[in-house]
DNA sequence: TTCGCTGCAAAAGTTTTGCATGCAG
DNA sequence: CTGCATGCAAAACTTTTGCAGCGAA
């Protein structure tokens, strides 16, 4: 386990992620910080985003035909407490699906395949209600 | 509507996609062709994969933490012989879960949240049977 | 013969890494 | 003080594009 220093840069990055809960790219983070007069190195942003993703605090994914990665802050709650994530790959909105709804499915997967689903890491992709109606 | 010339290169690429229906990267296609003694230019592979994707004959997505795109041949009829992915985050093995097993779950999500799950993009993370036993 | 297609190489775009310096603990 | 974190630039990768020449229709 790495030692986590509390640095100004990490706090700034987290603040940007918290204020932009829908899909931001690494370059977005850099640009947003730069426009606030705060300069954080490109490598630091990429390194911290990766660290956050590996810790399960941020979700990394792609949208549309772009080859760039989008990042979404999942909040402090470690995720394994009661819900699956539903991510709209049109608008990037994240919804929560109560675990009880998915319980039977997880059970089927376990019984059929012996696969134990980790709900803190699983994200369902698709279209949210609003985007499906358009 | 572009004119589609029937070239040897396109036939070779399609053949590779057909024989490897799951998770092939562009580089995989190039390497596989090269190992068969067939050389097809990198640009041609990328161009044709993109064309196929735009035509709906191939699905493009990302898996795991990789930054590379995976391509999946959907066959001539875009049937719903889709499947969910079960990715073991211990050994990295990828398993397939038939869509029918997950159908009731997808239905619940749709009825409760109006969310339409795209099975081609959803990956369940967790432990596969082998890793769960250790 | 005519264009579209191919292949090479270069460019473009995104992410990672090496290394010297800075700063939190 | 110690050593992890940062920042810069370069490297590493993946994908796209320009252009000359080839080849399918």
């Amino acid at each position: 386990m790495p030692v986590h220093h509390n640095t100004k840069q990490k706090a700034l990055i987290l603040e940007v992620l918290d204020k932009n809960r829908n899909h931001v790219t690494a370059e977005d983070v850099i640009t947003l910080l730069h426009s606030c007069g705060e300069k954080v190195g490109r490598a630091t942003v990429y390194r911290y985003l990766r660290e956050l993703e590996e810790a399960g605090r941020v979700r990394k994914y792609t949208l549309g035909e772009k080859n760039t990665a989008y990042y979404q802050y999942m909040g402090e709650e470690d995720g394994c407490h009661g819900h699956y994530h539903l991510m709209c790959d049109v608008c990037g909105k994240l919804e929560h699906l109560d675990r009880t709804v998915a319980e039977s499915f997880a059970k089927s997967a376990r019984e059929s395949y012996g696969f134990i689903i980790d709900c803190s890491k699983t994200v369902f992709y698709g279209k949210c209600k609003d985007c499906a109606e358009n």
Side-chain angles (χ1 to χ4, degrees), chain A:
Chain A
M1 294 295 185
V3 175
H4 287 182
H5 284 202
N6 287 330
T7 62
K8 183 184 177 186
Q9 288 88 343
K10 289 185 177 177
L12 287 169
I13 294 169
L14 267 187
E15 193 182 324
V16 168
L17 291 174
D18 192 27
K19 286 184 181 172
N20 301 275
R21 291 242 173 175
N22 286 343
H23 59 275
V24 285
T25 67
E27 290 303 321
D28 287 341
V29 174
I30 295 166
T31 303
L32 285 167
L33 286 175
H34 201 269
S35 70
C36 294
E38 304 285 357
K39 281 181 189 171
V40 177
R42 166 175 273 85
T44 300
V45 171
Y46 276 101
R47 268 188 295 240
Y48 192 42
L49 285 175
R50 188 180 214 197
E51 185 183 323
L52 288 171
E53 194 229 338
E54 285 166 356
R57 296 174 65 189
V58 154
R59 176 74 41 193
K60 177 184 177 184
Y61 56 98
T62 57
L63 282 180
E65 283 79 41
K66 302 290 293 180
N67 297 317
T68 59
Y70 287 81
Y71 296 87
Q72 183 157 37
Y73 189 45
M74 309 294 278
E76 289 306 323
E77 91 276 355
D78 134 287
C80 215
H81 296 90
H83 61 260
Y84 285 87
H85 290 112
L86 300 175
M87 165 88 68
C88 177
D89 51 33
V90 176
C91 70
K93 188 168 59 183
L94 191 74
E95 298 187 41
H96 290 166
L97 170 62
D98 194 85
R99 189 173 193 169
T100 56
V101 177
E103 206 108 83
S104 65
F105 168 70
K107 188 180 175 190
S108 296
R110 189 166 61 248
E111 289 173 349
S112 305
Y113 298 84
F115 198 98
I116 299 172
I117 292 173
D118 180 352
C119 74
S120 73
K121 295 187 176 178
T122 299
V123 176
F124 285 91
Y125 289 90
K127 282 187 186 175
C128 71
K129 190 180 178 185
D130 292 343
C131 290
E133 287 171 354
N134 299 339

